[in-house]
Amino acid sequence: GAGVSQSPSNKVTEKGKDVELRCDPISGHTALYWYRQSLGQGLEFLIYFQGNSAPDKSGLPSDRFSAERTGGSVSTLTIQRTQQEDSAVYLCASSDVTGTAPAPGYNEQFFGPGTRLTVL
Amino acid sequence: GQNIDQPTEMTATEGAIVQINCTYQTSGFNGLFWYQQHAGEAPTFLSYNVLDGLEEKGRFSSFLSRSKGYSYLLLKELQMKDSASYLCAVRDFRFNKFYFGSGTKLNVKP
């Protein structure tokens, strides 16, 4: 595709409900990242997928959060039993980790438009 | 761990020059990135430094000193559309993870 896409763009849910957020990365990008951004804050790393390797889940804030990436492409971030503090914008990014210009290992991240999650 | 610091907010005048600083403490450093983020939008890539020195790209330049754990983003000939948040991010080569600062909100006034 032309860029990273995410759905839904907005999600309003009630406390205690489960939500699923979807990310479609740029075709051919082997690396996929999930971040969370609260209002006026920087990006908080959540999870990182790279090819067929085990994902780096070190940023997931609790066991209510999980993510999977099927077929090395589409990823789904699931939040179970949502809490009000989960309200934030959830951003997905993908990158091509092969070394390209301007330096070996260069791998700019391309971000999706994000999903704004509101937990009432 | 990672520790990335940027000023929270800055104000500058249209047509002027502004420098946004970023300091970091990290092991496994492999590159520093600057992103621009307009309100309500996703971050977009601005620049990348992995070696010491200045990288110039039009009105935007970015500088890196690895020994000092310091970078800055320089914006010249400021335009109103430059009003945005500017995020500094450091990549850790051991894990290919990116650590973002909290961002600097730049307000450009007429």
Side-chain angles (χ1 to χ4, degrees):
Chain A
V4 179
S5 60
Q6 293 186 244
S7 60
S9 55
N10 279 283
K11 176 71 176 179
V12 180
T13 190
E14 294 179 347
K15 178 182 173 180
K17 301 285 189 182
D18 297 352
V19 295
E20 283 191 355
L21 312 180
R22 177 187 168 105
C23 171
D24 282 89
I26 292 173
S27 178
H29 280 188
T30 58
L32 188 148
Y33 303 79
W34 281 99
Y35 296 91
R36 178 168 70 175
Q37 187 173 34
S38 300
L39 188 64
Q41 301 297 310
L43 275 65
E44 175 189 4
F45 168 80
L46 296 177
I47 188 169
Y48 161 55
F49 296 89
Q50 170 51 50
N52 296 321
S53 302
D56 179 344
K57 305 178 182 180
S58 60
L60 295 178
S62 77
D63 58 9
R64 296 186 295 105
F65 288 71
S66 63
E68 62 178 22
R69 188 178 185 192
T70 54
S73 181
V74 172
S75 178
T76 302
L77 177 69
T78 301
I79 308 173
Q80 296 178 311
R81 305 181 302 281
T82 53
Q83 303 294 312
Q84 289 183 332
E85 60 262 30
D86 299 335
S87 296
V89 175
Y90 289 81
L91 290 162
C92 173
S94 71
S95 67
D96 175 4
V97 297
T98 58
T100 56
Y106 169 73
N107 60 340
E108 172 194 345
Q109 292 183 89
F110 294 84
F111 283 86
T115 294
R116 181 175 297 279
L117 175 66
T118 303
V119 181
L120 302 177
Chain B
Q2 319 294 329
N3 190 13
I4 302 171
D5 290 314
Q6 319 177 221
T8 303
E9 191 165 358
M10 300 179 70
T11 300
T13 304
E14 190 176 16
I17 299 174
V18 70
Q19 177 175 312
I20 302 174
N21 296 326
C22 172
T23 59
Y24 64 90
Q25 292 176 307
T26 182
S27 49
F29 174 85
N30 188 25
L32 188 141
F33 295 73
W34 284 95
Y35 284 83
Q36 180 190 59
Q37 186 177 28
H38 285 99
E41 298 181 11
T44 55
F45 171 78
L46 285 179
S47 70
Y48 165 73
N49 296 70
V50 69
L51 301 176
D52 291 349
L54 188 69
E55 294 283 340
E56 298 190 71
K57 198 188 265 190
R59 294 190 298 114
F60 291 20
S61 303
S62 57
F63 171 83
L64 175 67
S65 169
R66 289 171 296 172
S67 62
K68 296 181 179 179
Y70 168 68
S71 173
Y72 67 72
L73 180 69
L74 192 71
L75 292 76
K76 304 175 186 175
E77 302 169 15
L78 279 174
Q79 301 176 10
M80 298 300 292
K81 67 179 183 179
D82 297 330
S83 292
S85 286
Y86 292 84
L87 303 170
C88 170
V90 171
R91 179 174 62 194
D92 185 320
F93 80 90
R94 298 168 299 170
F95 312 111
N96 205 33
K97 283 166 64 170
F98 291 75
Y99 297 90
F100 283 80
S102 297
T104 299
K105 183 180 179 183
L106 176 64
N107 303 301
V108 180
K109 59 181 184 180

